[in-house]
Amino acid sequence: MDTGDLDAFATHLTHLPVLDTAARAAIREELQQDRYFIDHHADELDEAEVIKRLTREANGEPISVDAFTAAMHPVRISLWHPTGEAETRIVMDYTIDAATSDELLAVKVTRDGTVASVDWES
């Protein structure tokens, strides 16, 4: 691993709020295109306090993408330097309720801070 890669990690970790904002924007965009992650959690975790609150706030409508995205929180930040790959990555894992679900959205960020993907994982 060269110093440029280490410096890129350090810069991103020093500015986590910026990285979080970019990750949440990507999550929001992903959920606007396909809200199955939201609907799945609303159905499967209907007893979780966060889902109860979001459902109550939706007032009979589907839980909004914005409200759901705002309620998600990061549970892990991983630093990846895969051998043979050009891009060093940071992966931020977001969940709606870590106590009741092992499903998360993994936001993968390239060395330059660009969101490469948002993937549903468990």
Side-chain angles (χ1 to χ4, degrees):
M1 193 178 232
D2 66 30
T3 56
D5 291 333
L6 292 172
D7 288 344
F9 282 144
T11 298
H12 288 304
L13 293 175
T14 302
H15 299 97
L16 280 177
V18 172
L19 198 58
D20 179 63
T21 298
R24 287 179 186 280
I27 289 171
R28 182 177 179 272
E29 183 177 322
E30 180 74 20
L31 295 177
Q32 284 178 325
Q33 293 176 21
D34 181 0
R35 62 173 289 119
Y36 184 69
F37 189 84
I38 297 171
D39 297 338
H40 170 75
H41 281 79
D43 291 342
E44 296 295 319
L45 302 179
D46 60 339
E47 292 300 315
E49 289 304 315
V50 66
I51 297 298
K52 285 180 182 179
R53 178 181 57 80
L54 291 171
T55 301
R56 191 172 48 252
E57 290 171 358
N59 199 27
E61 297 293 323
I63 297 170
S64 77
V65 169
D66 290 338
F68 192 88
T69 301
M72 294 189 79
H73 58 275
V75 290
R76 181 177 28 259
I77 299 172
S78 304
L79 307 178
W80 290 90
H81 188 268
T83 304
E85 286 195 30
E87 288 291 333
T88 301
R89 290 185 216 182
I90 295 175
V91 181
M92 299 177 69
D93 294 338
Y94 286 80
T95 184
I96 192 66
D97 186 346
T100 58
S101 176
D102 68 346
E103 298 182 36
L104 50 88
L105 292 177
V107 180
K108 296 174 182 163
V109 181
T110 63
R111 178 179 172 164
D112 69 358
T114 303
V115 173
S117 67
V118 177
D119 302 302
W120 185 346
E121 298 180 0
S122 64

